[in-house]
Amino acid sequence: MTWPGLLGLLIAFLLVPSFVSVIFLDSQSERLFPDAHAGLKVAIVHAVGTAIVALAITLKRWWPAVLHERLRVRGWVWIAPLAIVVTAAALADWERVGDAGAGTFAAVALGVLMIALGEELMFRGVWIVFLRARMGELGVAIVSSLAFGLVHFLAGPVQVVFSALLGFVLYFARRVSGGLMVPVLVHVAWDLSVFTAFMTDDPADGSDASFALALVNVLLVIVLAVAWRRTAPRSVEDAAASS
């Protein structure tokens, strides 16, 4: 895959679902989930994006490299993804979930899963495999995280920054777990916690109460960045030599 090919895949991943949403589903903003129907529309839209990335991975025969991590980090780095999951669970608006009902929550959870699966396949999968053939591991971590942040530009500059920082933690979640499953689960926990505040049909009633979650994420990134030399072998060869 070349840089134009990677950017073309990214554009298709972003634009085709939007086209499906506008033309076929007449989908409303993902920021509001008043009922199960809205959650299912989000799931369908993002399933299209996930399918596009999965097809590209299949054509490139990259599934082993995308799904399995050859580089590992020290066990204490598990603290980072676990802290995100615990904080996300604590900050979720469970009262609003109860008011919305099990059906709406299940539909929103399915939509969140499709979002997380597609974005993790793209940014903690394809981008990492692609970048490792072209730069060192620190560059891989930074560039893949920045790319993840930049695709959230429609939500504003603050969201870009926090998404990039979350991408750094998700990168380590892949590294410490040896695969893509844990990053997907951490991503689901984050998004589901934030989206529970928007299980409403009133835009004025939906408030993003994720400041504490973002703060925890910032602190984790600072710790991981300071401890980079202790947590990241520079290459696959270094990792093999230390095992």
Side-chain angles (χ1 to χ4, degrees):
M1 184 179 288
T2 62
W3 277 106
L6 179 67
L7 296 178
L9 175 60
L10 180 59
I11 291 171
F13 173 72
L14 296 175
L15 294 187
V16 173
S18 298
F19 176 82
V20 171
S21 174
V22 172
I23 301 300
F24 296 103
L25 297 179
D26 189 27
S27 179
Q28 66 184 71
S29 169
E30 293 172 4
R31 302 294 285 178
L32 296 176
F33 300 100
D35 52 37
H37 183 59
L40 288 175
K41 286 195 291 187
V42 170
I44 293 171
V45 167
H46 287 278
V48 173
T50 300
I52 290 171
V53 181
L55 177 60
I57 295 171
T58 301
L59 293 176
K60 295 296 294 183
R61 299 181 180 179
W62 277 5
W63 281 111
V66 165
L67 294 179
H68 301 292
E69 180 61 74
R70 293 178 295 170
L71 299 178
R72 294 297 183 91
V73 293
R74 299 192 181 192
W76 63 265
V77 182
W78 272 107
I79 294 173
L82 286 175
I84 292 294
V85 172
V86 171
T87 307
L91 293 175
D93 193 334
W94 296 111
E95 181 177 355
R96 184 162 290 181
V97 170
D99 293 340
T104 298
F105 180 72
V108 173
L110 179 61
V112 167
L113 176 61
M114 288 297 102
I115 293 171
L117 187 59
E119 291 185 349
E120 292 310 305
L121 283 172
M122 172 63 77
F123 296 102
R124 258 63 62 184
V126 171
W127 273 74
I128 285 180
V129 173
F130 175 85
L131 292 171
R132 278 182 175 163
R134 292 161 176 81
M135 60 184 65
E137 198 61 23
L138 180 58
V140 172
I142 293 175
V143 174
S144 63
S145 299
L146 287 176
F148 179 63
L150 289 172
V151 299
H152 294 84
F153 69 95
L154 291 178
V158 174
Q159 185 63 39
V160 169
V161 172
F162 283 132
S163 294
L165 294 175
L166 175 61
F168 199 68
V169 174
L170 291 170
Y171 161 86
F172 271 98
R174 172 187 167 101
R175 292 286 303 277
V176 75
S177 67
L180 210 62
M181 182 63 69
V182 171
V184 169
L185 294 177
V186 174
H187 197 149
V188 167
W190 176 291
D191 281 358
L192 198 57
S193 177
V194 173
F195 287 1
T196 57
F198 295 90
M199 290 184 177
T200 176
D201 55 5
D202 181 4
D205 191 33
S207 60
D208 192 348
S210 60
F211 177 77
L213 185 58
L215 180 60
V216 169
N217 188 51
V218 170
L219 294 176
L220 290 172
V221 169
I222 292 173
V223 171
L224 293 173
V226 170
W228 175 265
R229 291 185 179 275
R230 296 184 179 182
T231 60
R234 295 180 180 178
S235 66
V236 175
E237 290 74 17
D238 289 346
S242 63
S243 62

